[in-house]
Amino acid sequence: QVISDFDMTLSRFGCNGRRCPTSHNILDTSRVISEDGKKKLKDLLHYYYPIEIDPNRTLEEKCPLMVEWWTKAHELLVQQKIHRSDIAQIVRESEAMLRDGFKEFFDQLHKNNVPLFIFSAGVGDILEEIIRQANVFYSNVNVVSNYMDFSDDGVLTHFKGPLIHTYNKNNTVLQGTGYFQQLSTRTSIILLGDSMGDLTMADGVPNVENILKIGFLNDKVGVR
Protein backbone atom coordinates (compact mmCIF):
# COMPACT_ATOMS: atom_id res chain seq x y z
CA GLN A 1 0.00 0.00 0.00
CA VAL A 2 1.03 3.62 -0.46
CA ILE A 3 0.53 6.11 2.38
CA SER A 4 1.01 9.70 1.33
CA ASP A 5 0.74 13.25 2.52
CA PHE A 6 -1.06 15.56 0.07
CA ASP A 7 0.04 19.20 0.19
CA MET A 8 3.50 19.67 -1.34
CA THR A 9 3.88 15.89 -1.66
CA LEU A 10 1.25 14.86 -4.22
CA SER A 11 0.63 18.51 -5.04
CA ARG A 12 3.41 20.73 -6.33
CA PHE A 13 5.42 23.07 -4.14
CA GLY A 14 6.22 25.51 -6.92
CA CYS A 15 6.08 26.17 -10.64
CA ASN A 16 8.22 28.61 -12.65
CA GLY A 17 9.63 30.18 -9.49
CA ARG A 18 6.20 30.70 -7.88
CA ARG A 19 4.77 28.86 -4.91
CA CYS A 20 1.77 26.65 -5.57
CA PRO A 21 -1.05 26.78 -3.01
CA THR A 22 -1.82 24.17 -0.37
CA SER A 23 -5.43 23.07 0.17
CA HIS A 24 -5.66 25.59 3.04
CA ASN A 25 -4.13 28.38 0.88
CA ILE A 26 -6.66 27.71 -1.89
CA LEU A 27 -9.50 28.39 0.51
CA ASP A 28 -7.82 31.17 2.50
CA THR A 29 -7.10 33.28 -0.59
CA SER A 30 -10.30 32.56 -2.52
CA ARG A 31 -13.08 35.01 -3.39
CA VAL A 32 -15.38 33.53 -0.72
CA ILE A 33 -13.18 34.91 2.08
CA SER A 34 -13.59 38.57 3.11
CA GLU A 35 -10.56 40.89 3.06
CA ASP A 36 -10.62 40.98 6.85
CA GLY A 37 -10.75 37.17 6.97
CA LYS A 38 -7.81 36.91 4.58
CA LYS A 39 -5.75 39.26 6.73
CA LYS A 40 -6.49 37.33 9.92
CA LEU A 41 -5.64 33.99 8.29
CA LYS A 42 -2.37 35.43 6.98
CA ASP A 43 -1.52 36.78 10.45
CA LEU A 44 -2.03 33.29 11.89
CA LEU A 45 0.26 31.82 9.23
CA HIS A 46 3.02 34.35 9.94
CA TYR A 47 2.83 33.62 13.65
CA TYR A 48 2.51 29.83 13.67
CA TYR A 49 4.33 28.63 10.55
CA PRO A 50 7.82 29.55 11.89
CA ILE A 51 6.95 27.51 14.99
CA GLU A 52 5.85 24.54 12.85
CA ILE A 53 9.18 24.38 11.01
CA ASP A 54 11.47 25.42 13.91
CA PRO A 55 14.04 22.62 14.29
CA ASN A 56 14.89 23.78 17.82
CA ARG A 57 11.45 23.21 19.31
CA THR A 58 10.30 19.84 20.59
CA LEU A 59 7.15 18.04 19.43
CA GLU A 60 5.72 18.48 22.92
CA GLU A 61 6.06 22.25 22.49
CA LYS A 62 4.73 22.32 18.94
CA CYS A 63 1.65 20.10 19.23
CA PRO A 64 -0.57 22.33 21.40
CA LEU A 65 0.42 25.34 19.28
CA MET A 66 -0.54 23.51 16.08
CA VAL A 67 -3.92 22.62 17.59
CA GLU A 68 -4.33 26.30 18.50
CA TRP A 69 -3.47 27.39 14.92
CA TRP A 70 -5.76 24.93 13.13
CA THR A 71 -8.63 25.61 15.55
CA LYS A 72 -8.40 29.39 15.09
CA ALA A 73 -8.12 29.01 11.30
CA HIS A 74 -11.14 26.70 11.14
CA GLU A 75 -13.17 29.11 13.31
CA LEU A 76 -12.32 31.96 10.95
CA LEU A 77 -13.39 29.88 7.95
CA VAL A 78 -16.70 29.01 9.62
CA GLN A 79 -17.38 32.74 10.10
CA GLN A 80 -17.15 33.19 6.30
CA LYS A 81 -20.35 31.22 5.64
CA ILE A 82 -18.73 29.20 2.85
CA HIS A 83 -21.13 27.32 0.57
CA ARG A 84 -20.55 23.71 -0.41
CA SER A 85 -21.55 24.62 -3.97
CA ASP A 86 -18.59 27.06 -4.23
CA ILE A 87 -15.87 24.48 -3.65
CA ALA A 88 -15.52 23.12 -7.20
CA GLN A 89 -15.27 26.66 -8.60
CA ILE A 90 -12.75 27.73 -5.92
CA VAL A 91 -10.50 24.84 -6.92
CA ARG A 92 -10.97 25.52 -10.64
CA GLU A 93 -9.92 29.15 -10.17
CA SER A 94 -6.89 28.27 -8.03
CA GLU A 95 -3.33 27.56 -9.10
CA ALA A 96 -3.36 24.10 -7.55
CA MET A 97 -1.20 21.60 -9.42
CA LEU A 98 -0.38 17.97 -8.85
CA ARG A 99 3.24 16.86 -9.25
CA ASP A 100 4.68 15.91 -12.62
CA GLY A 101 3.88 12.27 -13.34
CA PHE A 102 0.81 12.21 -11.06
CA LYS A 103 -1.39 10.65 -13.76
CA GLU A 104 0.95 7.71 -14.29
CA PHE A 105 1.32 7.29 -10.51
CA PHE A 106 -2.44 7.22 -9.80
CA ASP A 107 -3.16 5.13 -12.91
CA GLN A 108 -0.54 2.48 -12.07
CA LEU A 109 -1.69 2.12 -8.46
CA HIS A 110 -5.29 1.78 -9.61
CA LYS A 111 -4.48 -0.68 -12.39
CA ASN A 112 -2.47 -2.89 -10.02
CA ASN A 113 -5.03 -2.65 -7.21
CA VAL A 114 -2.62 -0.97 -4.78
CA PRO A 115 -4.46 1.04 -2.07
CA LEU A 116 -3.47 4.72 -1.89
CA PHE A 117 -4.13 6.24 1.51
CA ILE A 118 -3.87 10.04 1.59
CA PHE A 119 -3.34 11.40 5.11
CA SER A 120 -3.58 15.17 5.18
CA ALA A 121 -3.67 18.00 7.70
CA GLY A 122 -5.21 20.12 4.93
CA VAL A 123 -8.87 20.55 3.97
CA GLY A 124 -10.32 17.25 2.77
CA ASP A 125 -13.10 18.77 0.68
CA ILE A 126 -10.60 20.87 -1.28
CA LEU A 127 -8.00 18.14 -1.85
CA GLU A 128 -10.66 15.64 -2.95
CA GLU A 129 -11.90 18.20 -5.46
CA ILE A 130 -8.35 18.69 -6.82
CA ILE A 131 -8.02 14.93 -7.36
CA ARG A 132 -11.50 14.74 -8.86
CA GLN A 133 -10.81 17.56 -11.32
CA ALA A 134 -7.56 15.82 -12.32
CA ASN A 135 -9.67 12.72 -13.14
CA VAL A 136 -7.69 10.41 -10.85
CA PHE A 137 -10.08 9.88 -7.91
CA TYR A 138 -10.17 6.11 -8.31
CA SER A 139 -11.78 3.48 -6.10
CA ASN A 140 -8.42 2.55 -4.50
CA VAL A 141 -7.96 6.09 -3.10
CA ASN A 142 -8.91 6.78 0.53
CA VAL A 143 -8.53 10.14 2.24
CA VAL A 144 -8.33 11.05 5.93
CA SER A 145 -8.23 14.80 6.45
CA ASN A 146 -10.04 17.78 8.00
CA TYR A 147 -13.52 17.75 6.48
CA MET A 148 -16.09 20.50 6.57
CA ASP A 149 -19.59 19.94 7.84
CA PHE A 150 -22.41 21.81 6.15
CA SER A 151 -25.94 22.72 7.18
CA ASP A 152 -28.95 21.43 5.24
CA ASP A 153 -28.78 24.49 3.00
CA GLY A 154 -25.10 23.87 2.27
CA VAL A 155 -23.38 26.44 4.50
CA LEU A 156 -20.21 25.55 6.44
CA THR A 157 -21.07 25.19 10.14
CA HIS A 158 -17.96 23.48 11.56
CA PHE A 159 -15.15 21.06 10.83
CA LYS A 160 -15.61 17.41 11.71
CA GLY A 161 -13.26 15.88 14.27
CA PRO A 162 -10.73 14.67 15.06
CA LEU A 163 -8.50 17.62 14.18
CA ILE A 164 -5.50 16.60 12.09
CA HIS A 165 -2.42 18.85 12.15
CA THR A 166 1.18 18.41 11.00
CA TYR A 167 2.33 16.53 14.07
CA ASN A 168 -0.48 14.10 14.90
CA LYS A 169 -0.64 12.26 11.59
CA ASN A 170 -0.51 8.81 13.17
CA ASN A 171 -2.80 6.17 14.64
CA THR A 172 -4.03 8.50 17.42
CA VAL A 173 -6.39 10.13 14.90
CA LEU A 174 -7.12 6.88 13.07
CA GLN A 175 -8.49 4.96 16.05
CA GLY A 176 -11.97 3.80 15.25
CA THR A 177 -11.62 4.17 11.48
CA GLY A 178 -10.40 0.57 11.15
CA TYR A 179 -8.77 1.57 7.88
CA PHE A 180 -5.42 -0.14 8.34
CA GLN A 181 -6.97 -3.27 9.83
CA GLN A 182 -8.77 -3.90 6.53
CA LEU A 183 -5.37 -3.85 4.85
CA SER A 184 -3.54 -6.09 7.31
CA THR A 185 -2.33 -8.28 4.43
CA ARG A 186 -0.61 -5.25 2.84
CA THR A 187 2.68 -5.65 4.67
CA SER A 188 4.87 -3.53 2.35
CA ILE A 189 4.47 0.23 2.41
CA ILE A 190 5.74 3.17 0.39
CA LEU A 191 5.36 6.30 2.54
CA LEU A 192 5.56 9.75 0.92
CA GLY A 193 5.79 13.05 2.76
CA ASP A 194 7.43 16.47 2.96
CA SER A 195 7.67 17.16 6.69
CA MET A 196 9.04 15.41 9.76
CA GLY A 197 5.46 14.95 10.97
CA ASP A 198 4.79 12.68 7.99
CA LEU A 199 7.26 10.06 9.26
CA THR A 200 4.67 8.66 11.69
CA MET A 201 1.85 8.24 9.15
CA ALA A 202 2.28 4.46 9.02
CA ASP A 203 2.22 4.07 12.82
CA GLY A 204 -0.68 1.75 13.53
CA VAL A 205 -0.36 -0.35 10.40
CA PRO A 206 -0.34 -3.99 11.54
CA ASN A 207 2.30 -6.53 10.41
CA VAL A 208 4.59 -4.14 8.54
CA GLU A 209 7.43 -6.05 6.90
CA ASN A 210 8.93 -3.48 4.54
CA ILE A 211 8.61 0.29 4.58
CA LEU A 212 10.26 2.70 2.17
CA LYS A 213 10.02 6.32 3.33
CA ILE A 214 10.52 8.99 0.67
CA GLY A 215 10.78 12.64 1.68
CA PHE A 216 10.37 15.66 -0.59
CA LEU A 217 12.67 18.49 0.47
CA ASN A 218 10.83 21.50 -0.92
CA ASP A 219 11.79 24.48 1.14
CA LYS A 220 14.85 25.98 2.90
CA VAL A 221 16.98 23.25 1.36
CA GLY A 222 20.30 24.68 2.63
CA VAL A 223 19.12 24.90 6.24
CA ARG A 224 17.43 21.52 6.28
Side-chain angles (χ1 to χ4, degrees):
Q1 55 181 310
V2 176
I3 300 173
S4 181
D5 169 54
F6 182 78
D7 288 312
M8 314 293 128
T9 297
L10 294 179
S11 72
R12 287 183 66 154
F13 177 77
C15 181
N16 299 328
R18 286 176 58 187
R19 286 284 298 266
C20 291
T22 64
S23 53
H24 266 117
N25 296 148
I26 287 169
L27 201 52
D28 294 356
T29 58
S30 70
R31 60 184 166 76
V32 298
I33 309 293
S34 68
E35 288 310 310
D36 180 52
K38 284 177 183 166
K39 185 191 175 303
K40 286 176 176 164
L41 287 160
K42 193 175 261 187
D43 289 345
L44 288 178
L45 176 73
H46 288 158
Y47 179 77
Y48 288 104
Y49 182 64
I51 296 171
E52 181 190 337
I53 62 169
D54 184 348
N56 302 312
R57 287 185 190 238
T58 63
L59 272 183
E60 289 69 34
E61 278 180 86
K62 288 181 180 186
C63 277
L65 293 164
M66 294 303 101
V67 171
E68 208 173 272
W69 179 12
W70 261 252
T71 303
K72 286 177 180 172
H74 288 172
E75 283 168 358
L76 277 169
L77 291 171
V78 168
Q79 289 167 19
Q80 302 295 312
K81 304 273 188 281
I82 296 163
H83 276 260
R84 182 194 272 129
S85 56
D86 285 326
I87 287 173
Q89 191 61 24
I90 288 169
V91 169
R92 227 172 271 122
E93 290 170 359
S94 76
E95 295 183 343
M97 295 169 82
L98 292 171
R99 270 192 196 272
D100 289 348
F102 79 86
K103 182 104 179 70
E104 191 182 355
F105 175 69
F106 278 83
D107 286 354
Q108 287 292 332
L109 293 180
H110 181 236
K111 194 173 91 183
N112 293 293
N113 195 26
V114 177
L116 169 59
F117 175 67
I118 299 172
F119 202 170
S120 173
V123 183
D125 310 75
I126 298 283
L127 76 85
E128 277 198 8
E129 189 58 36
I130 295 169
I131 300 168
R132 202 172 286 117
Q133 290 184 15
N135 297 313
V136 290
F137 206 146
Y138 300 128
S139 54
N140 63 314
V141 178
N142 268 280
V143 182
V144 167
S145 186
N146 295 301
Y147 280 93
M148 302 174 174
D149 212 353
F150 298 92
S151 64
D152 291 342
D153 49 359
V155 178
L156 173 63
T157 55
H158 63 280
F159 277 76
K160 300 170 186 174
L163 176 72
I164 302 170
H165 57 74
T166 315
Y167 294 114
N168 70 343
K169 289 164 78 170
N170 52 45
N171 55 347
T172 57
V173 291
L174 291 174
Q175 278 157 4
T177 60
Y179 177 79
F180 289 143
Q181 271 55 44
Q182 300 156 25
L183 298 174
S184 55
T185 57
R186 304 279 181 161
T187 56
S188 294
I189 295 170
I190 295 176
L191 184 142
L192 308 171
D194 74 314
S195 84
M196 299 304 278
D198 294 332
L199 286 167
T200 59
M201 291 191 297
D203 291 5
V205 181
N207 318 320
V208 177
E209 289 173 15
N210 308 292
I211 182 161
L212 173 64
K213 296 182 178 180
I214 300 171
F216 293 90
L217 181 55
N218 293 314
D219 197 13
K220 300 193 168 45
V221 176
V223 182
R224 293 174 173 183

